[in-house]
Amino acid sequence: MGSVKECWTQQAEALSGRYEVICADHLGLGESAVPAPGFDVERYLRFLSAFVDHLGFERINYVGNCMGSAMGLLMAEQRPERFDKMVVINPLSARTAKQGKHFASCASRSVSLTCSPGDSRRQR
């Protein structure tokens, strides 16, 4: 997650031999709809969780950039059983959160996530 799905083309190609890769636009960017006013972090987390549920994944490996990192970390805090591995790139911090006050709460929460080592078979 992060920005528009086209930003992930090279990474998706590199990972697709071992993983099922799904790239998504952030809400309001790319081909996604602009969320209604009042769309806050908690509503985004519910959307992200419902998206993973809809796809039918029991556990996921997640890669996020900036706000996508923050959203993944917050979701992992709420539903750690859904995650196997996570990569956070350029995670949202208090400094970068100042750019968008409605996401400032992401930077103020600390999250710890323990990842289990993967195996050599194709992962979902």
Side-chain angles (χ1 to χ4, degrees), residues 1-2 8 11 15 21-23 60-66 68-69 72 83 85-89:
M1 286 297 270
W8 297 97
Q11 294 88 344
L15 294 169
V21 179
I22 297 172
C23 299
I60 62 171
N61 297 317
Y62 182 95
V63 180
N65 179 47
C66 197
S69 292
F83 291 84
K85 299 176 188 76
M86 181 177 291
V87 176
V88 293
I89 304 165

Side-chain angles (χ1 to χ4, degrees), residues 6 11 17 31 45-46 54 57 75 84 108:
E6 288 78 16
Q11 294 88 344
E31 297 178 35
L45 288 171
R46 286 193 302 272
H54 175 76
F57 296 118
M75 185 177 158
D84 187 29
S108 65

Side-chain angles (χ1 to χ4, degrees), residues 95-109:
R95 183 176 181 187
T96 58
K98 290 178 186 178
Q99 303 301 316
K101 65 180 179 180
H102 60 287
F103 291 111
S105 67
C106 295
S108 65
R109 300 170 74 178

Side-chain angles (χ1 to χ4, degrees), residues 36-66:
F39 198 84
D40 59 8
V41 172
E42 293 305 319
R43 291 171 86 189
Y44 197 104
L45 288 171
R46 286 193 302 272
F47 168 81
L48 182 57
S49 183
F51 177 68
V52 172
D53 290 342
H54 175 76
L55 293 172
F57 296 118
E58 190 173 315
R59 294 177 59 83
I60 62 171
N61 297 317
Y62 182 95
V63 180
N65 179 47
C66 197

